[in-house]
Amino acid sequence: MACPLTSFGLINVSGRISSNQPREWLLSAIKGTNIPQTNIHGLRHTYITLAVQAGMDIKTLQAQVGHDDINTTLSVYASVTNEMRSKTADIFTSLINF
């Protein structure tokens, strides 16, 4: 008996989600919105950047995303946002305003 999800195109004949299915779901979800088109991997970059911005412990984040090397998490995936820059300026100002 065939898997019922196969008939909906969710799972291919080998019993796995087809490789382009997550991208199709994403594009379908953002269609007709003001959300810029991105890819699944772009969401990974966004998640990591927002997690760093929110103050998530870096080692916990590294483990969560499965990186062996913290440099991959920080150098490749995390970006500095305008909010982070602003917060840094505020922290510095508080340090010099005894």
Side-chain angles (χ1 to χ4, degrees), residues 28-85:
S28 176
I30 65 175
K31 185 177 182 179
T33 69
N34 292 331
I35 298 172
Q37 188 170 328
T38 188
N39 57 39
I40 297 295
H41 198 74
L43 294 178
R44 184 174 172 88
H45 285 266
T46 300
Y47 172 76
I48 291 172
T49 295
L50 293 177
V52 170
Q53 178 178 299
M56 181 183 279
D57 175 73
I58 300 300
K59 291 297 286 181
T60 303
L61 179 60
Q62 174 195 356
Q64 186 180 62
V65 298
H67 292 155
D68 291 330
D69 186 350
I70 191 69
N71 290 318
T72 301
T73 308
L74 294 175
S75 299
V76 176
Y77 286 89
S79 298
V80 177
T81 66
N82 289 336
E83 184 176 323
M84 292 161 79
R85 284 185 181 93

